[in-house]
Amino acid sequence: MTLIKSISGIRGTIGGKAGDSLSPLDIVKFTAAFGTFLKKRNENNHNIILGRDARLSGEMISGLVSNTLIGLGFNVIDLGLSTTPTVEMAVITEKASGGIILTASHNPIQWNALKLLNERGEFISALDGEQLLEIAESEDFSFAEVKKLGTYSTDDTLLQKHIDAILALDLVDVEAIKKANFSVAVDAINSSGGIAVPLLLNQLGVKDIKCINCEPTGHFAHNPEPLPKHLTEISNELEKGDYDLGIVVDPDVDRLAFICENGEPFGEEYTLVAIADYILSKTAQKGLKTVSNLSSSMALKVVTEKHEGEYHASAVGEVNVVTKMKEVGAIIGGEGNGGIIYPELHYGRDSLVGIALFLSQLANYKKPVGFLRKSYPNYFIAKKKVELDKSMDLDAIIGGVKEKYKKYPVDTQDGLKIIFDNEWVHLRKSNTEPIVRIYAESEFDTTANNLADKIIEDIKELMKATGDSK
């Protein structure tokens, strides 16, 4: 059983002992800590937004969270089954003090998490997270007196408000999408995307929609991470030749992947690349900025520079991408895992706005999705990992790798990224799992895999050396 506390929220598996998993006691403790943190930040605003994906544990956790917040004096506005970007937008539109999303995103069914939002509808910072953990550790909570308890209400209108805001965006070309008469298949992993994505498509004028795994039962039909190896069902459907596009979202609808008309994956890394290309092409201005994290494809840099823009890299994690985007004034940003952040709408990964922008691009492009994919540089990313032992000195291991490759340019803002001529490798400790992630990119699949494997060998040698020295 696992409990992980990070900038990605409080995440863990369901079942097991308190302190070792996301138990009811831990849920109450960290909810109380977050509520206490928000009260210290803004003692006059006691409204908070709550939403969840369709995980089997969601309803149980929602009851614990909402009642804990009521006990602290908060007025809970519960969106029920919703999406992460919808909750983020709701914090802004409803002027709440913060929000909590109950989702473990792409993790399997036994996981859940408390994703924590500040008053701007953005994930709390690392510094805020440290304060939160201190409050939780000390259990420095003060609950409301009986006459000052908070309230509980539901609101099922906020998804529509989210969609309305998307439809109103200048670069969302609803008329072109209607005229294109697209046929679309959707795989929503039996979670809340099964509600949100078809609703959006209908209002964009897409009438021919094939829904696959769109019942929000929480029984995931396959691994919820939208990688090609998990998407055989929708790929097989597209292979029949009856659809223009396949759309895949993860359980909380903040990661987006496309399937080409012939059943071939568009490539999760290329979701952001394509949408950035569209936005940059529609904005007649030089020097526009884009941002992705260090583990994302260099294809975004190539496309940005094609439009005479400037590319910037950030540390991994949505909060870090958003910080960099604000710092440089980026027009579009996100992560290579299919996360689109479009500041014109809000600073959060949002598959719904990604779908609307991509369909606008496709409608104006007037060629099949596969042709659009071939218009971009072709890179391959090998994604591997090494499990960590608690006794390992990760900093020493990364330092050893850095020393070995000291003649090459490096970026150390998040782990270590080594930059070769037209390749790179990035190693860093995961925010959500007890592992070191090793990503490598090259123009050739075998080269990327060989580069990642070489770094893994280097890490294992350093682990052995570190162990022998103890």
Side-chain angles (χ1 to χ4, degrees):
M1 298 299 172
T2 307
L3 182 65
I4 299 172
K5 295 160 272 189
S6 74
I7 61 171
S8 297
I10 310 301
R11 183 181 302 234
T13 49
I14 303 300
K17 294 181 179 179
D20 291 334
S21 63
L22 194 61
S23 72
L25 291 178
D26 293 294
I27 292 162
V28 170
K29 180 172 80 170
F30 287 109
T31 300
F34 183 55
T36 301
F37 166 80
L38 290 181
K39 287 171 76 174
K40 289 181 177 180
R41 194 176 179 112
N42 188 344
E43 61 183 20
N44 296 317
N45 187 344
H46 292 167
N47 294 331
I48 190 166
I49 306 294
L50 178 65
R52 64 181 177 90
D53 69 14
R55 288 170 189 272
L56 299 179
S57 58
E59 191 169 357
M60 177 270 290
I61 294 175
S62 183
L64 291 167
V65 168
S66 59
N67 283 299
T68 300
L69 292 169
I70 290 167
L72 286 165
F74 280 93
N75 303 316
V76 177
I77 303 169
D78 189 356
L79 278 56
L81 281 178
S82 191
T83 77
T84 284
T86 302
V87 176
E88 292 170 343
M89 289 282 290
V91 172
I92 301 167
T93 59
E94 305 308 299
K95 298 180 173 59
S97 63
I100 300 179
I101 310 156
L102 308 179
T103 176
S105 193
H106 65 277
N107 288 122
I109 196 169
Q110 66 268 30
W111 289 79
N112 214 325
L114 311 180
K115 286 189 173 183
L116 310 174
L117 305 174
N118 61 24
E119 71 281 1
R120 297 185 300 276
E122 300 166 14
F123 290 120
I124 63 173
S125 67
L127 182 61
D128 289 343
E130 289 174 9
Q131 294 178 26
L132 170 71
L133 294 179
E134 287 175 6
I135 295 169
E137 186 66 27
S138 64
E139 298 190 359
D140 184 19
F141 318 135
S142 180
F143 291 92
E145 297 175 9
V146 68
K147 291 185 178 180
K148 295 182 178 179
L149 293 174
T151 62
Y152 175 85
S153 62
T154 60
D155 192 332
D156 61 3
T157 67
L158 291 167
L159 174 59
Q160 186 58 55
K161 288 181 181 179
H162 181 187
I163 291 174
D164 289 342
I166 291 171
L167 297 177
L169 291 169
D170 288 341
L171 293 185
V172 173
D173 195 338
V174 177
E175 287 307 311
I177 294 170
K178 286 180 180 177
K179 289 178 182 177
N181 197 29
F182 290 125
S183 296
V184 176
V186 177
D187 184 344
I189 192 65
N190 287 334
S191 191
S192 47
I195 299 169
V197 175
L199 183 63
L200 170 69
L201 291 174
N202 272 308
Q203 293 181 46
L204 286 169
V206 179
K207 301 303 180 187
D208 187 1
I209 305 169
K210 168 75 173 182
C211 289
I212 301 169
N213 305 320
C214 285
E215 290 294 323
T217 62
H219 291 282
F220 299 157
H222 52 78
N223 186 304
E225 190 165 13
L227 301 177
K229 63 184 179 182
H230 304 148
L231 306 178
T232 54
E233 185 177 3
I234 189 170
S235 292
N236 290 340
E237 191 68 36
L238 267 292
E239 279 182 9
K240 298 174 184 177
D242 297 329
Y243 300 95
D244 299 300
L245 175 69
I247 296 174
V248 181
V249 293
D250 67 340
D252 66 323
V253 199
D254 67 354
R255 289 178 61 172
L256 174 63
F258 297 117
I259 308 294
C260 297
E261 72 285 353
N262 61 357
E264 291 292 321
F266 191 81
E268 197 182 22
E269 287 286 338
Y270 284 83
T271 301
L272 174 59
V273 173
I275 292 169
D277 181 38
Y278 172 66
I279 290 168
L280 291 166
S281 71
K282 291 292 184 180
T283 311
Q285 183 180 335
K286 296 179 182 180
L288 295 171
K289 278 85 168 181
T290 66
V291 173
S292 64
N293 69 42
L294 287 165
S295 286
S296 298
S297 176
M298 54 188 163
L300 179 61
K301 182 176 187 292
V302 174
V303 166
T304 301
E305 291 176 350
K306 179 188 76 172
H307 292 288
E308 300 185 83
E310 296 178 17
Y311 168 77
H312 297 265
S314 78
V316 174
E318 182 174 327
V319 67
N320 297 318
V321 176
V322 168
T323 298
K324 179 66 74 172
M325 289 178 70
K326 290 181 177 181
E327 178 187 316
V328 303
I331 192 172
I332 181 70
E335 299 182 287
N337 60 13
I340 303 298
I341 302 173
Y342 188 43
E344 189 74 17
L345 185 66
H346 69 121
Y347 277 104
R349 294 188 309 184
D350 191 331
S351 293
L352 299 181
V353 75
I355 290 166
L357 290 168
F358 188 81
L359 285 174
S360 299
Q361 178 185 28
L362 198 60
N364 283 277
Y365 187 67
K366 297 179 180 178
K367 294 178 184 177
V369 181
F371 279 80
L372 179 63
R373 174 62 183 84
K374 289 175 183 176
S375 71
Y376 300 122
N378 209 30
Y379 294 110
F380 297 90
I381 295 184
K383 299 184 179 183
K384 305 195 177 188
K385 59 188 177 182
V386 176
E387 291 189 9
L388 283 177
D389 187 295
K390 291 182 180 179
S391 64
M392 292 175 187
D393 186 345
L394 181 60
D395 291 335
I397 290 168
I398 289 178
V401 176
K402 181 182 177 183
E403 176 64 22
K404 183 169 182 177
Y405 294 91
K406 61 184 178 182
K407 69 177 182 179
Y408 297 100
V410 299
D411 189 321
T412 58
Q413 64 176 307
D414 185 6
L416 176 67
K417 184 170 184 175
I418 308 164
I419 303 163
F420 304 100
D421 289 337
N422 202 28
E423 296 153 359
W424 56 260
V425 62
H426 185 208
L427 54 153
R428 59 179 290 277
K429 185 178 179 180
S430 170
N431 288 329
T432 58
E433 299 175 72
I435 59 175
V436 175
R437 297 189 186 278
I438 300 97
Y439 288 8
E441 184 174 37
S442 172
E443 292 179 294
F444 305 99
D445 194 6
T446 52
T447 306
N449 278 285
N450 290 340
L451 182 55
D453 289 340
K454 178 65 174 69
I455 297 297
I456 290 172
E457 287 177 15
D458 294 335
I459 291 172
K460 288 181 176 178
E461 286 178 9
L462 288 162
M463 284 179 177
K464 186 175 185 300
T466 302
D468 290 344
S469 67
K470 292 181 180 178

